[in-house]
Amino acid sequence: MVLSRGWSLFLLGVGVWTWVIWPRFAAAIWNDPRSWSTGTVGEGAGTSFLWVHALLIGASLAIGTTVGVLGVRGWLAARRGRPTA
């Protein structure tokens, strides 16, 4: 597959966007009383609300990282004049 510079930059931008948005969302979930069995932030066991969102955030960061890496590899290959593998 050959990625153009434009698509490579788009993929890199998606990867960066993911790392800007999802950690902020993680902080909001952590500070939400629904995340904790006692209703007090950081006290008691985590609820399913916390764990489902933690899984969603982890998966999104993994996918975003992969997409960003593909964008960097595509950009570098385009600069060298070679198609990416």
Side-chain angles (χ1 to χ4, degrees), residues 14-84:
V14 169
V16 169
W17 175 257
T18 298
W19 277 96
V20 168
I21 294 301
W22 286 103
R24 293 172 49 100
F25 184 65
I29 294 298
W30 182 268
N31 291 320
D32 192 320
R34 294 175 291 178
S35 296
W36 306 100
S37 60
T38 62
T40 303
V41 175
E43 293 183 12
T47 63
S48 57
F49 178 83
L50 174 68
W51 295 114
V52 166
H53 284 90
L55 181 62
L56 172 68
I57 292 163
S60 296
L61 287 172
I63 292 166
T65 300
T66 302
V67 167
V69 167
L70 289 173
V72 169
R73 290 185 66 189
W75 176 261
L76 293 174
R79 285 186 63 202
R80 284 182 242 135
R82 300 187 309 186
T84 57

